[in-house]
Amino acid sequence: MTFKKKSDAQAYERKVLDAKDSGIAVRPKHLRTTFLAYSEEWINRPGRRPGTQESYEMNMRKHIQPAFGGMLLHRIDAVDVQRWIDHELIPKGLAARTIHLIYKTFRACINSAVRKRVIPFSPCVDIVLPEITRKRIIPATREQVWALYEAMPEHSRALIMLGVGCGLRSGEAFGLCRDSIDFTAGTLTVQRQVIVLKNKKPVLVDYNKTKSSHGREVPLPAFTHRALLDHLDSQSVLVDMEGREILFRSSRGNVIRRNAFYKTFKRALAVAGLPEDFRFHDLRHSFASHALDQGVAESTVQLYMGHAGPEELREVYRHQVKGAAARDRKALEVVFFEETEDVEIPDEVFEDGEAAA
């Protein structure tokens, strides 16, 4: 680096020495960079998917910039970050998963500053976040799936079979097009989804939630195959401006809105007798759980689900299938006793039909 004047060189040297004395090797030109200035530049960078951009903007404007906007970027340390989590986000009553997403946005911005050498290191070290409590999910049974299928309106009931038979997310099912299905081979390729933009308008996009989700090929079991054929036989497809033939449309003939669909879905749950907190995504849980229970390789189920690695599959999607314990009991009996048998239970074990204490 060269300077026109000796005084400029001396001033630069003083700034460098001051930074080193304070234990922060920050380039002098960045010593006055505020978090607000850098985050505005970061948030407005092009190239992000619309859904990601909207999430970043909302988290940044609502939760992050109000806390750190006026601070010098290089002055933010781990204590500040932990205080923000403990004394601002948690007291707001936000869900643990929401806090994780907000922190993820903050960390992405900070990591960018580190990569660009605006700051020498990240303050996002040893930050304790609230634990995400996962509810115990019991995979849907055959009877529950068919009851839900029958309770749904005719124009959208095949969506149930896409969730439980192919493991599709709701947006992927809403965005399924005719060219994604190979009825001859019995497979389906996931390559589109319906997302909701700022104006609340649902749109079909040619990408999926993650890179590993896009383009994955999943099996099309016979019951889903038949449901789709019945759907195409009774319902007309929605052809958009790009000529894509979308299989599912709303009752008004438009791309399905998630909120509107869930109103219908909730009514169907009540008719079918399923728990009111059952979600469409629980059909995807059921797909993975039953596939694993039936012996499909973990690595294969991972590909069907569109996960980048096996960790999420092991942590989230492996739930105990109803009846599995009784079935596996017999398998263990064969291992250790050569044969299986039903044990006769003496009558005195029970009192009025209940097990004795």
Side-chain angles (χ1 to χ4, degrees), residues 156-171:
S156 59
R157 59 175 44 161
L159 289 167
I160 303 303
M161 297 311 180
L162 285 172
V164 76
C166 303
L168 268 58
R169 300 178 177 92
S170 59

Side-chain angles (χ1 to χ4, degrees), residues 41-252:
E41 185 271 328
W42 177 79
I43 202 69
N44 289 308
R45 290 176 191 168
R48 298 188 186 101
R49 292 176 175 179
T52 302
Q53 180 65 25
E54 288 185 19
S55 176
Y56 279 177
E57 287 183 5
M58 181 182 69
N59 291 336
M60 189 64 72
R61 310 278 190 240
K62 191 172 182 180
H63 301 288
I64 304 173
Q65 287 180 342
F68 298 106
M71 296 181 66
L72 294 173
L73 187 58
H74 74 273
R75 293 291 190 187
I76 300 173
D77 59 23
V79 174
D80 297 318
V81 178
Q82 191 66 63
R83 186 183 299 116
W84 168 58
I85 298 289
D86 295 341
H87 300 292
E88 293 192 38
L89 296 186
I90 293 177
K92 288 180 179 179
L94 300 172
R97 188 181 299 276
T98 301
I99 293 176
H100 279 248
L101 292 174
I102 295 168
Y103 174 72
K104 185 178 179 180
T105 301
F106 173 75
R107 188 179 60 193
C109 181
I110 289 294
N111 288 344
S112 170
V114 174
R115 288 193 300 271
K116 292 183 175 295
R117 300 177 65 188
V118 177
I119 54 177
F121 52 80
S122 171
C124 299
V125 179
D126 295 332
I127 302 301
V128 179
L129 297 173
E131 182 180 356
I132 297 176
T133 303
R134 301 186 185 278
K135 70 172 185 177
R136 182 174 180 266
I137 298 172
I138 301 176
T141 64
R142 176 192 303 175
E143 293 75 19
Q144 288 175 323
V145 169
W146 283 102
L148 183 58
Y149 174 81
E150 294 295 338
M152 289 290 290
E154 189 175 4
H155 72 274
S156 59
R157 59 175 44 161
L159 289 167
I160 303 303
M161 297 311 180
L162 285 172
V164 76
C166 303
L168 268 58
R169 300 178 177 92
S170 59
E172 295 169 344
F174 298 162
L176 183 64
C177 295
R178 191 193 293 268
D179 64 357
S180 296
I181 306 172
D182 187 335
F183 285 108
T184 302
T187 59
L188 182 156
T189 302
V190 182
Q191 52 191 353
R192 301 182 183 95
Q193 66 174 337
V194 170
I195 65 170
V196 179
L197 298 179
K198 281 183 179 179
N199 59 7
K200 307 300 182 182
K201 181 180 179 180
V203 295
L204 180 66
V205 295
D206 291 308
Y207 58 80
N208 297 97
K209 183 178 179 181
T210 63
K211 291 181 180 179
S212 54
S213 293
H214 185 69
R216 71 187 193 273
E217 186 179 65
V218 300
L220 188 66
F223 62 89
T224 306
H225 193 148
R226 285 194 295 269
L228 289 176
L229 289 178
D230 289 344
H231 175 81
L232 288 171
D233 186 54
S234 62
Q235 308 294 319
S236 58
V237 299
L238 173 63
V239 182
D240 68 3
M241 297 292 290
E242 298 181 32
R244 297 173 297 190
E245 297 180 292
I246 307 171
L247 266 62
F248 297 94
R249 55 165 70 190
S250 69
S251 58
R252 296 183 178 182

Side-chain angles (χ1 to χ4, degrees), residues 349-357:
V349 172
F350 299 97
E351 295 180 357
D352 298 327
E354 297 294 329

